Amino acid sequence: MANIKQKSVDLKPEVITKKDVFMAWLRFYFVDEIPHCFDRYIAPALLWSLIPVLRKLYKDKNDLIEAYVRHMLFFNTQISWGGGTLTGIMVSLEQERAKEVYENKPLTITDDLIYNTKAGLMGALAGIGDSVDSGTIQYIFVAIAIPWAQQGYAIGAIFPFLCFSIYQLIIGYVFANMGFSLGRQAATQIVGGSKIKDILDGLSILGLFMMGILAANYVKVSSSLKWSIAGKAFALQDILDTVLPGLLPILVVFGVYLYFTKAGLKVTRALLGLTVILAILALIKIL
């Protein structure tokens, strides 16, 4: 049976604004991994980001303590897609809970519902965020900056870090607002929404283009194989440059990729194996 907590009219919660949501997200963004501990992971960061909101909602000291306690349970997710969205959703749920408490209604937004919402979404959103942000977006910024770094410009080192930080700050705020406006439905919009799917598809295509560009420009593999037919000399690399330029570098990249998909991300083994293979091909004068 649902609990009903009788509260005084003097304990009316304050209205939560978009500025409050922005400040909650901003606080989470800057402390995400700082209060990291084994048993709670980044739960203290989420709690710290919600403290101003919780203080506006819960004027009773005991209610405020309960709110602090329920947000100190284990929590771990990716900073923008997971952290932004769940920050907004938590603000939305706490606002609804405070209204129920103040208006003496049956308590439907329970501690279990709040935590289960976090626990159920943090992994799924982190998976998307890691693959999009860490697996695609940051390498696009890196690829843009590589020519500057090669020429010795400091902007080549600063540009990827700066752009990626600004990108995560903006996209996280968008998701925080979405989480606050839509509540638990925000996760459905992010995970299954058609617009988000189109964005993910576009980023995947862009990532493939960037891989091709990086492979062609920064992976240097050429063949030294030469032969002659009827007194006419032929060089394999000249033929490849005419027909399929950049074929050997992209074959090496795809070979490493296929190895990772079958054997797992064993980077050291891949580097050693690739070194041995290329050395043998060089000794027999194929490369």
Side-chain angles (χ1 to χ4, degrees):
M1 184 175 180
N3 295 324
I4 300 178
K5 293 187 176 183
Q6 300 294 327
K7 295 296 175 185
S8 167
V9 178
D10 297 333
L11 303 178
K12 181 178 179 179
E14 299 178 43
V15 175
I16 302 301
T17 65
K18 286 190 175 181
K19 181 181 178 181
D20 295 320
V21 178
F22 172 71
M23 290 306 299
W25 156 243
L26 196 63
R27 286 164 69 94
F28 180 81
Y29 176 80
F30 281 107
V31 302
D32 176 36
E33 294 284 347
I34 294 176
H36 201 146
C37 58
F38 178 76
D39 56 338
R40 303 181 191 277
Y41 267 60
I42 60 173
L46 179 64
L47 171 59
W48 190 77
S49 72
L50 296 175
I51 283 177
V53 171
L54 296 176
R55 286 179 174 171
K56 291 184 71 172
L57 293 175
Y58 300 107
K59 302 301 182 178
D60 181 88
K61 182 178 179 181
N62 292 327
D63 287 335
L64 186 59
I65 291 173
E66 289 178 6
Y68 287 176
V69 170
R70 66 173 163 264
H71 286 292
M72 280 297 285
L73 296 175
F74 178 91
F75 178 69
N76 188 34
T77 192
Q78 187 264 354
I79 184 171
S80 55
W81 290 68
T85 306
L86 288 171
T87 298
I89 291 175
M90 290 303 105
V91 173
S92 176
L93 291 178
E94 290 291 355
Q95 180 177 241
E96 292 303 314
R97 179 188 172 103
K99 288 179 181 178
E100 292 179 353
V101 171
Y102 164 71
E103 295 172 1
N104 298 320
K105 292 181 178 181
L107 194 58
T108 60
I109 309 297
T110 63
D111 291 0
D112 286 343
L113 185 143
I114 290 174
Y115 182 70
N116 290 339
T117 299
K118 285 194 292 185
L121 295 177
M122 63 185 184
L125 293 173
I128 297 175
D130 286 337
S131 62
V132 173
D133 287 5
S134 301
T136 303
I137 298 296
Q138 71 171 347
Y139 292 112
I140 291 175
F141 293 137
V142 169
I144 293 172
I146 282 177
W148 301 330
Q150 287 183 323
Q151 295 173 31
Y153 295 117
I155 190 66
I158 298 172
F159 178 84
F161 172 77
L162 185 63
C163 289
F164 189 59
S165 298
I166 294 172
Y167 156 79
Q168 287 200 312
L169 180 62
I170 294 173
I171 197 72
Y173 176 58
V174 171
F175 288 142
N177 267 327
M178 186 183 296
F180 178 65
S181 301
L182 301 177
R184 285 173 291 170
Q185 296 178 354
T188 304
Q189 294 292 325
I190 293 174
V191 176
S194 59
K195 290 183 179 179
I196 296 297
K197 186 177 183 301
D198 291 340
I199 293 173
L200 294 177
D201 290 341
L203 288 173
S204 298
I205 294 171
L206 180 59
L208 290 173
F209 274 111
M210 295 305 297
M211 179 181 287
I213 293 170
L214 288 172
N217 286 279
Y218 302 109
V219 179
K220 303 298 182 182
V221 181
S222 59
S223 175
S224 58
L225 183 62
K226 298 179 180 179
W227 67 92
S228 60
I229 300 177
K232 186 175 182 180
F234 294 90
L236 178 60
Q237 190 60 50
D238 293 339
I239 297 173
L240 292 178
D241 290 342
T242 303
V243 180
L244 291 170
L247 177 63
L248 293 180
I250 201 66
L251 285 178
V252 172
V253 171
F254 275 116
V256 174
Y257 171 76
L258 290 175
Y259 174 78
F260 285 152
T261 58
K262 293 184 178 297
L265 197 61
K266 300 176 180 178
V267 178
T268 303
R269 185 180 295 181
L271 288 173
L272 292 174
L274 187 61
T275 301
V276 171
I277 292 172
L278 292 177
I280 291 173
L281 292 176
L283 287 173
I284 60 178
K285 297 183 178 181
I286 293 180
L287 296 180

